[in-house]
Amino acid sequence: MALRREPHVLVVGGSDSSGGAGIARDIETISAIGVRTCLAVTALTVQTHDAVIEIYYSPPSLVANQMCAALQANDVA
């Protein structure tokens, strides 16, 4: 399904499994002001609101490729 070519914000960041921070919170905040998002995920975490238990970093080439694909697919402004 093709999306309209409206402006997007490119979110580059890590996940937070507790939902208190990271890309999930960024998407929620940006969406609340009516703007679309696209992503590049830098890390996956296992965490609670009180502690980070594990971090798995994305290889730099994967982050770069995600960013390139997001920029190709969307009007990032």
Side-chain angles (χ1 to χ4, degrees):
M1 172 173 91
L3 296 174
R4 295 188 315 252
R5 296 287 293 181
E6 56 195 40
H8 284 62
V9 171
L10 175 57
V11 177
V12 180
S15 73
D16 170 357
S17 54
S18 73
I23 57 174
R25 182 62 64 189
D26 295 339
I27 292 166
E28 185 177 310
T29 301
I30 294 164
S31 296
I33 61 171
V35 181
R36 299 186 62 93
T37 60
C38 49
L39 309 173
V41 180
T42 60
L44 300 174
T45 68
V46 177
Q47 65 187 83
T48 67
H49 294 299
D50 300 317
V52 177
I53 300 157
E54 294 180 71
I55 302 172
Y56 295 92
Y57 296 101
S58 299
S61 62
L62 177 61
V63 176
N65 289 339
Q66 289 177 86
M67 293 173 72
C68 286
L71 291 169
Q72 242 181 348
N74 302 293
D75 178 21
V76 175

